[in-house]
Amino acid sequence: MVIRRAEGRDAGRLTRLVRSSRAYEGRYSSMVEGYRVGPDYIAAHRVFVAVEEAAGGADPGEREAERVWGFYALMVEPAELDLMFVADQAQGYGIGRRLVAHMRDEARRAGLDRVRVVSHPPAEGFYRSVGARPVGTVRANPPAVMWDRPELAFLVEPGEER
């Protein structure tokens, strides 16, 4: 598995990953209905994708054959982890941890000292397990968001990258 910068051609696969996430079934389904990760979003933010490379290497012409295991989007201004998803079938294999470590290194390269996360409620435990600290609660904002969400922060220590 490699983590690389997402490209506009990844947009459809990232959108499918978001919309098919079991974490957003039931009461949370409204959050991802119609959600789109577009090429414009990928161009505007630091979006990185975890992929299993296609046999034959990482030639850009072969990227359609890569299997996408997860991705994240880091916004720099303001510093926030805007999106992070791991494919349902890939959860429990350390991919989320690798994406968080990569995100922290990317935040360090961008000169950030902390990264805010407004967590999907079921994901709070994961974020805490990889070092995010609770800082508050973002209240529901109907009709866009019907439930309160935990607010956390990753501190980004200066120093060497992993």
Side-chain angles (χ1 to χ4, degrees):
M1 184 192 77
V2 296
I3 298 174
R4 65 166 174 77
R5 188 78 183 244
E7 301 171 349
R9 66 175 34 181
D10 295 313
R13 293 184 296 168
L14 301 186
T15 295
R16 282 189 296 280
L17 197 152
V18 169
R19 289 184 185 175
S20 67
S21 174
R22 286 192 316 254
Y24 284 88
E25 290 178 333
R27 73 181 279 216
Y28 299 115
S29 65
S30 64
M31 286 299 294
V32 296
E33 287 174 5
Y35 197 89
R36 180 178 167 269
V37 180
D40 52 339
Y41 180 89
I42 291 170
H45 303 294
R46 295 170 190 234
V47 181
F48 289 86
V49 60
V51 296
E52 178 181 337
E53 289 183 309
D59 182 319
E62 298 172 347
R63 291 215 168 136
E64 291 304 314
E66 294 173 326
R67 174 170 280 162
V68 173
W69 293 119
F71 77 100
Y72 75 87
L74 175 66
M75 296 172 56
V76 174
E77 189 65 38
E80 184 168 348
L81 180 61
D82 188 42
L83 296 171
M84 183 171 174
F85 282 83
V86 173
D88 293 334
Q89 69 272 22
Q91 292 187 12
Y93 293 99
I95 294 168
R97 288 181 182 282
R98 286 186 61 187
L99 286 168
V100 167
H102 190 279
M103 179 275 300
R104 289 176 103 160
D105 289 341
E106 186 66 19
R108 186 177 298 107
R109 280 190 287 279
L112 305 175
D113 61 358
R114 68 188 291 131
V115 176
R116 176 183 189 234
V117 180
V118 178
S119 177
H120 178 48
E124 180 181 10
F126 166 74
Y127 286 121
R128 286 180 176 225
S129 78
V130 292
R133 301 288 179 245
V135 296
T137 301
V138 176
R139 297 288 171 213
N141 183 21
V145 181
M146 303 299 289
W147 51 86
D148 293 347
R149 294 167 293 157
E151 181 179 5
L152 304 110
F154 285 104
L155 299 180
V156 179
E157 302 293 330
E160 292 187 30
E161 296 174 13
R162 295 174 235 276

